Amino acid sequence: MAALAMTFTLAVSVGLPLGVLFYLLARRRALLRPFLAGVGTFLLFQLLLRIPLLGWLRGWDGLALLAFRSPWLYALFLALTAALFEEGGRYLAARLLLKGRTGCGEAMAFGLGHWGLEALSLVGLPLLLSLLAAPGLTLAAGAGGLLAAGVERVAALPVHLAATRLVFAGVRRHRALPLLAAFVLHTLVDLLAALGSLAGLPLWGIEGGLLAVAALLAAWMIGDRRRERMGKRGCR
């Protein structure tokens, strides 16, 4: 079971991002630029800016005290900074790198690139390295934990796509409300996972909640896409 769970998680966090990249290279080169912009946005705003900054701030006594005395507020702080850096990054990328290319297709490609590097860097590559270094210990972690990592990446995908869709719509229509909606969405989803863990909810209760949110967002995007095709102002 652990081997099957690991295979699923690797397929989601390594195979799917690379598969999308190869597909765009072979069949949809016009969407390669927004896809790579999404990859670059996560690389810059999360891996090179936010995560090192948080590492530096954790050496500050005030933040360490907040994490100890009020883990709920600390979770809110982490969720807010994640939303600020990632949605701010999407906004800047749409304004500076993708001028005039913020339609539905570009939003999907960007969201896939952003999600893909996140999946690779946070789950796929660490799991691969662990498997190569100590395969027995990796499998000994159990099927539940390995499967949950993959399920969480699946649940994260509609969130990335919906947030990108909202940010791009805000840029395209020069409106602040979709940008605010993307920021709130990102904050609430991150907070849901963190607070569920702090409240002692079972792992699969948290994953179930994330999947429910993902399903609602996927349904909204599918409906929005249908409205667009029918000429009823979709792709908000």
Side-chain angles (χ1 to χ4, degrees):
M1 288 299 293
L4 287 175
M6 182 185 64
T7 301
F8 167 77
T9 296
L10 286 175
V12 169
S13 60
V14 178
L16 185 54
L18 294 180
V20 171
L21 174 60
F22 293 147
Y23 171 76
L24 294 179
L25 284 169
R27 305 292 292 272
R28 300 293 297 274
R29 284 182 174 267
L31 295 177
L32 190 58
R33 182 176 176 181
F35 178 85
L36 294 178
V39 171
T41 298
F42 184 80
L43 175 64
L44 175 61
F45 286 91
Q46 270 285 17
L47 299 183
L48 298 181
L49 290 178
R50 178 177 175 265
I51 292 176
L53 179 60
L54 287 177
W56 178 75
L57 286 175
R58 286 191 179 102
W60 177 46
D61 291 343
L63 190 61
L65 191 62
L66 176 67
F68 177 75
R69 289 189 172 178
S70 184
W72 305 87
L73 282 177
Y74 183 67
L76 177 60
F77 167 76
L78 292 180
L80 287 170
T81 58
L84 177 64
F85 275 77
E86 292 196 32
E87 304 317 316
R90 287 186 227 266
Y91 173 77
L92 291 175
R95 287 293 304 271
L96 302 177
L97 299 178
L98 300 171
K99 294 179 180 179
R101 301 182 65 180
T102 54
C104 289
E106 288 84 3
M108 178 170 287
F110 186 102
L112 283 167
H114 197 283
W115 170 86
L117 184 58
E118 182 183 67
L120 272 170
S121 61
L122 299 185
V123 177
L125 291 181
L127 183 56
L128 276 176
L129 292 174
S130 175
L131 183 63
L132 291 172
L137 287 176
T138 303
L139 293 174
L146 291 169
L147 181 62
V151 169
E152 185 175 344
R153 291 303 90 207
V154 171
L157 180 54
V159 178
H160 279 283
L161 296 179
T164 306
R165 205 174 178 94
L166 288 166
V167 170
F168 278 31
V171 171
R172 188 172 61 251
R173 297 179 180 177
H174 306 286
R175 294 175 57 193
L177 187 58
L179 304 175
L180 179 61
F183 179 83
V184 171
L185 170 66
H186 195 141
T187 302
L188 290 178
V189 170
D190 280 8
L191 202 56
L192 171 66
L195 295 184
S197 179
L198 288 171
L201 294 179
L203 175 63
W204 286 106
I206 298 172
E207 298 301 334
L210 293 175
L211 284 173
V213 172
L216 289 173
L217 291 173
W220 168 69
M221 287 186 288
I222 291 170
D224 204 41
R225 184 66 172 170
R226 286 176 178 169
R227 286 190 294 273
E228 181 203 12
R229 288 178 174 176
M230 293 172 64
K232 296 182 179 180
R233 199 187 171 198
C235 195
R236 292 180 178 80

